[in-house]
Amino acid sequence: MRQGSAMHQKLEDEVHKAVKIDIVTKEDAFGLRLWNFVQGLRTLRDMGLTRELEVWGMIDGNLVNGIIDSVSYRNPNADFEEELSSQESQAAQLQTSIRDFFPQKSKTEHHRKVYLTDVKTRRSLKPVTPAVVRPAKVQLLLYHMFLCDMAAGKLDYLKVFRRYGLDPDDTFSDTFMAEIGSLHDEIFDDTPASSAGEAPNGSSQAALKSSDITSSGEEDSRMASTPDLLKYNTLRDLIALVKDEIRLTFPEGADSIGQMLRVHYIHQESGEDIDVSDFPVSRVALEKYLSKHMEWWRGERPAQGVEIEEGFKCLTCEFGNDCSWRESLGQRILAQAEERKRARQANAR
Ligand code: SF4
């Protein structure tokens, strides 16, 4: 495991206990991701913090997913938010507004909000330059938009399944259901049976609890022979659970999600704090960035390499040896250096 990943795992272990779940089908694999999402929201409500929360969204009809490193009820920089809010009030009098950053306070303002943080690991303890933070900010703005859309009920889960080539009605494997059942006894349907209230094996449906499930094959075969006893058998079934959990976690929909974001840099081995960058959400900035990059994605403009201040990225880029942009960038850097040298010499005369 890479050092950065190890540090992320360490942070995740602070709030989640890893449990191994065997998957048999690709539907199981995605079902597990949805259960992880559900568990993430429950952890957030219970502990005030969750880590590694996966989100999905659509950009220009393309499915994009991402993992938010940290979601919590703690505002990363309430003073900064307050300052920007008061600037907004003043600006409103002049009919210019930064409402894009901070939607006006609503009557539901007293509800606690959740805030997103991206954690980046670094080898160097040096402060982070704006050029390094910029892509992390865009990434976080994107995840914020996805989470807001999910909280507002705008994500089409069936579209997501289609994009991954998943059958929403394919029943999860018995192995997967048994292992999920040992963690979440809610999969056992406790509604009264339609006939005599008895399961085919004679036990009461409501009496089936997770404690009944062991790793023995007996319970596996019992579940296999009584599929009606189980809820959330398929990806389509899980959508309802995911939506319920979203409603509980974000009662005000997208308004339940705060407008202040943080990128937090820590040392990849020691976990020592290096730097933080707090910034307000701006849909305008994100849309501008996306529109420029989607033009390239759709083949409407040629590829464009990095700017000079991000030239350090070329050092580790796999296309570095053949990149004509890099070559011209090198020439520009050289020309600028020579110009500065000439200016210094002229000043010295
Ligand atoms: S080498 Fe070329 S492709 Fe790679 S980061 Fe630099 S400009 Fe971009």
Side-chain angles (χ1 to χ4, degrees):
M1 185 182 284
R2 286 174 293 130
Q3 281 290 349
S5 308
M7 184 51 69
H8 276 273
Q9 187 63 52
K10 191 174 166 213
L11 291 173
E12 188 181 0
D13 291 346
E14 287 172 7
V15 288
H16 296 303
K17 182 174 166 235
V19 177
K20 187 172 168 290
I21 299 284
D22 290 312
I23 52 172
V24 178
T25 66
K26 58 185 196 288
E27 283 74 18
D28 288 352
F30 202 81
L32 182 58
R33 286 161 72 177
L34 291 180
W35 273 108
N36 280 340
F37 180 76
V38 165
Q39 188 55 46
L41 296 186
R42 290 175 179 174
T43 303
L44 170 62
R45 297 200 303 272
D46 290 349
M47 299 174 65
L49 166 72
T50 192
R51 293 196 189 273
E52 306 290 315
L53 187 73
E54 184 164 13
V55 285
W56 298 267
M58 295 287 170
I59 300 290
D60 227 11
N62 301 287
L63 173 67
V64 182
N65 77 308
I67 310 269
I68 306 172
D69 290 327
S70 164
V71 182
S72 85
Y73 290 114
R74 193 169 163 270
N75 187 334
N77 199 330
D79 292 344
F80 186 25
E81 185 170 21
E82 185 56 40
E83 192 185 318
L84 288 167
S85 283
S86 69
Q87 283 173 15
E88 181 197 13
S89 312
Q90 289 166 14
Q93 293 168 358
L94 300 169
Q95 299 229 321
T96 48
S97 167
I98 56 167
R99 200 163 300 150
D100 168 54
F101 296 94
F102 287 95
Q104 284 190 312
K105 282 188 167 67
S106 69
K107 59 182 183 303
T108 57
E109 197 72 16
H110 61 279
H111 282 282
R112 61 182 181 167
K113 291 181 184 283
V114 302
Y115 294 89
L116 281 54
T117 296
D118 193 36
V119 179
K120 297 284 182 208
T121 54
R122 277 168 70 83
R123 257 182 305 191
S124 161
L125 286 168
K126 285 187 193 152
V128 184
T129 63
V132 172
V133 180
R134 195 177 308 128
K137 284 183 168 180
V138 172
Q139 184 186 10
L140 200 48
L141 284 170
L142 199 59
Y143 294 172
H144 181 275
M145 182 175 76
F146 291 161
L147 190 60
C148 283
D149 285 351
M150 291 176 78
K154 290 183 185 166
L155 180 66
D156 183 342
Y157 294 89
L158 293 177
K159 218 171 183 177
V160 174
F161 300 157
R162 267 200 301 280
R163 173 63 184 76
Y164 283 117
L166 301 166
D167 181 348
D169 299 308
D170 196 21
T171 310
F172 294 130
S173 70
D174 295 341
T175 306
F176 178 72
M177 288 303 284
E179 293 187 8
I180 287 291
S182 67
L183 299 171
H184 301 279
D185 61 4
E186 71 213 73
I187 73 161
F188 300 101
D189 195 345
D190 55 2
T191 53
S194 56
S195 55
E198 290 277 313
N201 64 1
S203 64
S204 154
Q205 290 185 21
L208 279 174
K209 298 286 182 209
S210 63
S211 55
D212 294 319
I213 299 182
T214 67
S215 58
S216 77
E218 185 192 332
E219 284 76 15
D220 284 8
S221 60
R222 183 172 62 183
M223 287 200 296
S225 63
T226 58
D228 290 338
L229 289 178
L230 300 177
K231 290 194 288 186
Y232 314 129
N233 271 317
T234 64
L235 288 171
R236 191 187 295 276
D237 293 343
L238 269 181
I239 295 175
L241 176 66
V242 167
K243 287 184 172 176
D244 282 348
E245 293 293 329
I246 284 177
R247 270 191 293 273
L248 286 171
T249 315
F250 309 109
E252 307 301 324
D255 284 348
S256 297
I257 301 167
Q259 301 288 304
M260 183 58 67
L261 302 173
R262 165 169 285 188
V263 182
H264 184 186
Y265 288 88
I266 59 174
H267 192 260
Q268 70 176 25
E269 280 158 27
S270 65
E272 183 183 338
D273 289 334
I274 299 173
D275 212 345
V276 293
S277 175
D278 297 329
F279 60 103
V281 170
S282 169
R283 280 280 172 120
V284 171
L286 179 61
E287 277 160 19
K288 203 169 147 198
Y289 180 92
L290 289 177
S291 136
K292 183 177 162 212
H293 285 78
M294 292 314 290
E295 277 173 14
W296 171 77
W297 186 259
R298 291 191 296 265
E300 293 168 4
R301 67 165 176 83
Q304 199 179 319
V306 298
E307 296 299 333
I308 284 184
E309 63 269 24
E310 292 183 332
F312 62 89
K313 291 180 181 169
C314 303
L315 296 173
T316 50
C317 176
E318 59 182 304
F319 306 111
N321 289 340
D322 309 310
C323 180
S324 55
W325 185 278
R326 183 188 184 193
E327 203 181 321
S328 65
L329 190 67
Q331 287 162 358
R332 271 162 61 200
I333 291 173
L334 204 59
Q336 284 181 2
E338 280 171 358
E339 201 175 307
R340 280 198 300 273
K341 189 177 166 193
R342 274 197 299 277
R344 273 199 306 276
Q345 286 170 345
N347 286 339
R349 277 189 210 122

